[in-house]
Amino acid sequence: MSEMENIQPEHIYLLDKTRGWPSDIFWSEYNKRLKTAEERGEVHESYDPDYLYRDPLISRLFPMKERVALRKRAGAMESKKISLKGKNYSTVSSGKNIKRFYVMTSEPVFTTNGNYAFIYFQIYDNDNSETFVYPDDGPPYDSTLFGMVTIIFKKQPDQSWKKIKLINQLLL
């Protein structure tokens, strides 16, 4: 949220239900056609702005079989209620009365071996008069989709998690 005009909220509001995963992040039908070209050494990237494997590090870490498994795992996740409260964040039932930004988060999805975790956020901004809603998001939100963030974590030997990649996609 600090990418534009250094706007950084003092308090982060998260909607109290997780959102489903846009599972094409992990593997899309379009990628099946690219697989043969990639195997021949041609450089390709998806046109989907959320697609993770444009980054060479991420592409090397997760082979095709794991990408497909992540897609299946993420696609099977359903929305769940969450309740979080901390020093500068909390959950709310609606973003309607939030003055600027609020966030929807996914539930984490883990690789088959459990050594990596992905989490996806959508940031909404109530300060814009236009609305933007994906067709599968359900009822409309009274705000504009400001951006998406995907964070990838790696499990450490002490069982803690270390962020290895943060991928931002601003829409405004």
Side-chain angles (χ1 to χ4, degrees):
M1 289 179 263
S2 63
E3 296 290 328
M4 285 184 62
E5 303 171 12
N6 291 320
I7 300 167
Q8 182 65 39
E10 293 178 21
H11 192 87
I12 298 173
Y13 297 96
L14 292 103
L15 290 188
D16 65 356
K17 278 183 96 173
T18 60
R19 63 154 284 130
W21 267 94
S23 55
D24 280 356
I25 285 177
F26 297 110
W27 182 262
S28 72
E29 296 302 314
Y30 174 75
N31 297 104
K32 287 180 182 180
R33 295 189 300 263
L34 292 179
K35 184 177 178 186
T36 303
E38 286 175 350
E39 288 172 352
R40 291 191 303 246
E42 297 175 22
V43 178
H44 290 276
E45 77 177 45
S46 170
Y47 295 104
D48 181 350
D50 298 329
Y51 188 65
L52 299 175
Y53 307 106
R54 291 180 293 195
D55 182 293
L57 167 70
I58 303 307
S59 186
R60 284 190 304 271
L61 283 175
F62 306 102
M64 295 295 174
K65 185 176 181 180
E66 185 61 41
R67 296 176 197 183
V68 172
L70 284 162
R71 177 190 166 94
K72 288 179 184 174
R73 215 171 282 119
M77 291 182 162
E78 296 181 12
S79 181
K80 292 183 179 177
K81 287 287 265 182
I82 57 173
S83 178
L84 304 170
K85 187 165 177 70
K87 183 178 176 182
N88 61 349
Y89 62 90
S90 61
T91 49
V92 293
S93 61
S94 168
K96 187 175 183 175
N97 296 322
I98 305 298
K99 296 217 185 297
R100 281 300 305 260
F101 299 108
Y102 65 93
V103 177
M104 285 187 79
T105 184
S106 70
E107 191 174 350
V109 64
F110 298 90
T111 55
T112 305
N113 63 12
N115 289 331
Y116 293 90
F118 296 77
I119 193 160
Y120 176 80
F121 299 93
Q122 286 184 330
I123 299 106
Y124 291 86
D125 184 357
N126 277 343
D127 194 40
N128 197 319
S129 59
E130 297 178 31
T131 58
F132 181 91
V133 177
Y134 286 118
D136 62 347
D137 278 345
Y141 300 101
D142 296 328
S143 51
T144 298
L145 182 59
F146 179 79
M148 293 89 60
V149 176
T150 305
I151 305 174
I152 305 170
F153 297 91
K154 181 176 184 187
K155 188 183 279 187
Q156 302 301 295
D158 66 358
Q159 302 303 302
S160 66
W161 292 92
K162 179 182 177 186
K163 178 178 68 176
I164 63 166
K165 190 69 179 177
L166 183 138
I167 301 163
N168 286 318
Q169 177 65 33
L170 293 180
L171 298 178
L172 302 174

